[in-house]
Amino acid sequence: MGSEGAEREALGYDVVVVGGGPAGLATALHLVQQDGGEAPSVCVLEKGASIGAHLLSGAVVDPRGLDELLPDWRQRQAPVWVPAGQEVFRYLTGRRAWTLPTPPQMDSHGHYVGSLGELGQWLAEVAEAAGVEIYPGFPAAEVLYDDAGSVCGVATPDRGRQADGSPGPAFEPGVEIRARQTVLAEGAHGSLTQAVIGRFGLRREAQPQIYGLGIKELWEVAPERHDPGRVEHTVGWPLDTFTYGGGFCYHLDERRVAVGLVVGLDYENPYLSPFEELQRLKTHPAIRPLLEGGRRVGYGARVLPEGGWQSLPQLSFPGGVLVGDAAGFVDVPRIKGIHTAVKSGLLAAEAVQAALTEGQGEAADLGQRVEQSWLRAELRPVRNIRPAFRWGLLPGLAYAAAETYLLRGRAPWTLGHEPDHRQLKPAARCRPITYPKPDGRLTFDRTTSLFLANTNHEEGQPCHLVLDDPEIPTRVNWAIYHGPETRYCPAAVYDYEPDAQGQQRLRIEAINCLHCKACEIKDPAQNIRWTVPQGGDGPGYQGM
Amino acid sequence: MKVLAAVKRVVDYNVRVRVRADGSGVDTANTRMAMNPFDETAIEEAVRLREAGTASEVVAVTVGDAGSEEVLRTALAFGADRALRVESDAPLEPLAVSKALAAVADREQPDLVLMGKQAIDDDSNQVGQMLACHLGWAQATFACAVTPADDELHVVREVDGGQRTVAVALPAVVTTELELNEPRYIKLPSIMKAKKQAIERLGLAEIAVDGSPRLELLGVSEPPPREAGEQVDSAAALVDRLKNEAQVI
Ligand SMILES: Cc1cc2nc3c(=O)[nH]c(=O)nc-3n(C[C@H](O)[C@H](O)[C@H](O)COP(=O)(O)OP(=O)(O)OC[C@H]3O[C@@H](n4cnc5c(N)ncnc54)[C@H](O)[C@@H]3O)c2cc1C
Ligand code: SF4
């Protein structure tokens, strides 16, 4: 696709932030908040049609980040949040549930249960009122480099191209946003982030990033089942002991309960379907009664980084920085990344501001600022817990307990990671899994679920899921792994159909894509590229 | 020619709305809102008329609360020259909206009012017709093509099973179909510019419009859930089930 650079309009800002999630909004807000001197001009680009439309989280929020960003957030009518109350950690077998001692890092005392989408909307209002310009519906699709090879901004995608890539009647070329600093806040596995990490070799000294796929449903439960602030985590069933993952049930306000399952994308059995595992989880006697008599009102999915401290890439590069999930700031044992996203945004804003003032091209001291902050103190000690679960659930739990109570995070070793796409075993060596049929009340299929994600992509545009080699799905994905993408994709985007010669061909229904990014991560041949579709497309989450 | 384009803020068409548990209406808290798609074709057409040199000025108007200024910004980004909001915190019924628009037309003296044939939230399809009546102007509803001809407009109307072309004398009210045009992609620089433009405001009292409701809403309900589909093994089984169970063939 020629980008026809010459025709594009260019606009200038001091800082452009790519992504309107907690990390991007915190960075933008903190940049204009800093007193002394003139505030820099800041523009936030967000691919969702509105702020929050693409945000999906649990969410139990540790207020530590917000307390630093907006100390008076509680008085400023932040979306009413429910203080996290009773917290339960359970080990499930097929029929039973065993309550385990809640690990200290899971203690949600002083935390709040809420919706990240709603928090994002509110943060965006605060940031706009403070002078940040926010443009939802306008993704960044391309990184711009200057003659010296430094990043000098981003470009929005062209709109109105036809399926074959040629300009259609309403064609509108993208716009260049040129900026002295570019903040990549795309969340987990961002497309521009991946490009920049590759180009500048930012992962040279870091472990590969690994991910979990989180699938979530929002339910409106019967009033007598609703226990606002209740926080439940599960491990064990329905996942086998070598598949890392866990379920969650968070009670929000207004009878809303978030039910979800995170599955480590390092799973081995290509027959596994994270979506179906969540459907099974809901049928467990410990969870079923909560949902019975309620109705499901939301559905969505998103990956989260699970590599931890050792997978953090270099955070600055010539012309910009990485923040939040784009870098991988998630406290993995706690499945919490919102407060760390906010904190990394605060530190990035300060580093970027300093670089702007001093006329430096790179905010090179960001890494050091992180080292000196509570981010290191929180993330480094727990760095070995997630990789220990490679040995199985019980050894993992035992190791986690030893790290937490005996070593207290001071282990002299650091466990490494293998990229998720290398973990699948050939289908022939794995046990096929048969999942029960949905009942339409408690359990559902993916197509019905998608209605509740309000997802859409304008028809007639080039497919945003690109195969580098169109033969590989047939030759590798189907032949060796029996089409794993038909099972891990939470939006049923991928399907195989025999062609005239009886060869199984991959069919891509890109219109349903939830932008979770699992395919680009898990595809065994690394043949699927997720590119940024034209603006405003994708899910329309509400209250997720 | 001066054109007034009326636009309304509604729940985005991609969003599945949820009826409140007590059936008193639709839950719109935190719901994504957007310009009514029929109004998008109206504002697009108005801007095209100006770009073609037929219209000299395009004024966008909405009736609603402060949040609804968002669609006026969209209209400005489409290319409207000015924008005006009639302030009403409570949602108004079609009759009151048409009176408010009539009052705006009195002040602005446009030659043409363009607006969507209906809003996708309440699907009333009344405001355009009532507005023409208050003003005593000609009207053409369900327009899928608009061609200026001297001091007339030739309007192709979508009617059952075909099209009908009518000529209306100006000033006139024209309500639009989705087939009228394909609204442009709004440019980012246009949105940036629109953010900084001023929006004029008019109170309902200033234009002497009574916004009190005259209709009583008895209830709102969701369509009954669809029965889960079933897969049959063969064409023969399908025919059998259609014949004997569903009794449709
Ligand atoms: C199922 C699940 C449960 C979780 N539970 C919790 C929890 O209980 N507590 C907790 O603290 N954390 C939780 N997390 C983690 C937390 O949600 C993330 O760590 C956090 O949202 C990261 O914030 P971010 O701003 O870096 O990225 P995101 O929240 O992912 O936001 C990124 C934004 O950037 C936009 N974007 C991406 N690419 C582009 C582009 N090219 N152009 C324009 N815009 C772009 C996206 O649309 C999105 O709006 C959970 C995560 C998941 C998936
Ligand atoms: S196509 Fe890829 S990014 Fe889209 S929903 Fe499926 S797995 Fe996620």
Side-chain angles (χ1 to χ4, degrees), chain A residues 36-218:
Chain A
E38 206 179 315
S41 58
V42 184
C43 152
V44 178
L45 299 179
E46 165 56 49
K47 68 180 161 63
S50 55
I51 296 292
H54 289 185
L55 291 179
L56 180 143
S57 189
V60 179
V61 182
D62 180 339
R64 194 166 184 186
L66 275 179
D67 284 343
E68 288 182 26
L69 177 66
L70 289 166
D72 58 346
W73 65 271
R74 290 179 186 77
Q75 289 85 55
R76 291 176 69 154
Q77 294 174 319
V80 244
W81 279 2
V82 184
Q86 204 196 45
E87 151 128 27
V88 190
F89 183 50
R90 293 204 274 198
Y91 170 68
L92 304 185
T93 59
R95 281 201 218 123
R96 309 266 319 258
W98 312 83
T99 302
L100 301 180
T102 302
Q105 64 265 19
M106 289 290 227
D107 185 7
S108 41
H109 188 78
H111 299 170
Y112 295 83
V113 185
S115 145
L116 178 62
E118 289 165 15
L119 172 65
Q121 274 176 354
W122 177 82
L123 267 180
E125 281 164 28
V126 175
E128 272 200 308
V132 174
E133 293 183 33
I134 303 182
Y135 298 104
F138 290 91
E142 184 189 330
V143 182
L144 304 175
Y145 299 96
D146 65 15
D147 295 338
S150 301
V151 171
C152 63
V154 294
T156 66
D158 297 337
R159 288 180 296 169
R161 280 193 189 273
Q162 292 167 317
D164 62 1
S166 63
F171 178 72
E172 196 52 65
V175 175
E176 297 188 354
I177 312 281
R178 299 188 163 265
R180 293 166 66 198
Q181 283 281 320
T182 300
V183 178
L184 295 177
E186 295 178 284
H189 205 78
S191 338
L192 273 52
T193 308
Q194 291 308 110
V196 164
I197 288 179
R199 179 162 177 138
F200 295 105
L202 303 181
R203 209 170 267 298
R204 259 193 307 260
E205 284 166 28
Q207 289 293 316
Q209 187 56 274
I210 57 168
Y211 299 90
L213 172 59
I215 304 188
K216 169 176 159 181
E217 296 183 353
L218 191 66

Side-chain angles (χ1 to χ4, degrees), chain A residues 288-436:
Chain A
R288 175 190 283 270
L290 166 68
L291 304 176
E292 256 163 358
R295 64 171 174 168
R296 194 173 64 143
V297 296
Y299 170 76
R302 182 81 173 98
V303 297
L304 68 157
E306 289 188 340
W309 183 256
Q310 57 272 51
S311 294
L312 285 178
Q314 185 185 314
L315 299 170
S316 64
F317 50 86
V321 292
L322 305 175
V323 293
D325 276 10
F329 284 104
V330 172
D331 183 338
V332 187
R334 295 169 78 199
I335 18 169
K336 285 192 180 63
I338 297 173
H339 66 301
T340 44
V342 170
K343 178 66 180 178
S344 77
L346 286 172
L347 295 172
E350 285 159 16
V352 161
Q353 177 69 58
L356 290 177
T357 321
E358 288 154 27
Q360 279 161 1
E362 178 168 348
D365 63 347
L366 177 56
Q368 228 171 327
R369 288 174 192 257
V370 168
E371 287 275 352
Q372 286 158 6
S373 73
W374 55 256
L375 284 175
R376 177 195 158 101
E378 176 171 342
L379 300 181
R380 195 168 182 282
V382 296
R383 70 193 181 286
N384 288 329
I385 293 183
R386 166 68 179 90
F389 280 86
R390 265 201 317 258
W391 307 321
L393 175 60
L394 295 178
L397 285 172
Y399 182 87
E403 273 267 4
T404 310
Y405 297 105
L406 300 176
L407 298 165
R408 297 181 186 277
R410 286 192 302 254
W413 57 82
T414 294
L415 302 177
H417 306 302
E418 280 288 313
D420 295 322
H421 65 87
R422 291 213 207 118
Q423 304 293 330
L424 277 185
K425 288 187 178 154
R429 285 172 39 208
C430 293
R431 169 185 55 90
I433 310 177
T434 34
Y435 292 104

Side-chain angles (χ1 to χ4, degrees), chain A residues 377-531:
Chain A
E378 176 171 342
L379 300 181
R380 195 168 182 282
V382 296
R383 70 193 181 286
N384 288 329
I385 293 183
R386 166 68 179 90
F389 280 86
R390 265 201 317 258
W391 307 321
L393 175 60
L394 295 178
L397 285 172
Y399 182 87
E403 273 267 4
T404 310
Y405 297 105
L406 300 176
L407 298 165
R408 297 181 186 277
R410 286 192 302 254
W413 57 82
T414 294
L415 302 177
H417 306 302
E418 280 288 313
D420 295 322
H421 65 87
R422 291 213 207 118
Q423 304 293 330
L424 277 185
K425 288 187 178 154
R429 285 172 39 208
C430 293
R431 169 185 55 90
I433 310 177
T434 34
Y435 292 104
K437 279 214 164 75
D439 65 12
R441 270 185 291 275
L442 181 67
T443 57
F444 305 91
D445 62 18
R446 278 178 287 189
T447 328
T448 354
S449 305
L450 280 172
F451 279 113
L452 298 176
N454 304 312
T455 191
N456 191 29
H457 289 78
E458 193 174 304
E459 284 190 67
Q461 62 176 310
C463 179
H464 73 278
L465 297 154
V466 183
L467 299 174
D468 285 335
D469 177 347
E471 294 304 317
I472 283 185
T474 307
R475 270 194 2 247
V476 178
N477 298 36
W478 182 267
I480 304 178
Y481 302 103
H482 205 61
E485 57 278 43
T486 61
R487 286 175 288 272
Y488 64 63
C489 172
V493 164
Y494 300 102
D495 197 8
Y496 281 84
E497 266 186 355
D499 65 9
Q501 283 79 45
Q503 292 269 16
Q504 292 287 345
R505 306 302 278 180
L506 182 63
R507 217 187 52 201
I508 303 180
E509 201 67 58
I511 198 168
N512 288 339
C513 177
L514 292 174
H515 296 197
C516 79
K517 312 283 176 80
C519 49
E520 205 180 79
I521 294 163
K522 189 64 176 168
D523 183 48
Q526 292 291 281
N527 183 44
I528 300 177
R529 264 186 306 125
W530 190 97
T531 63

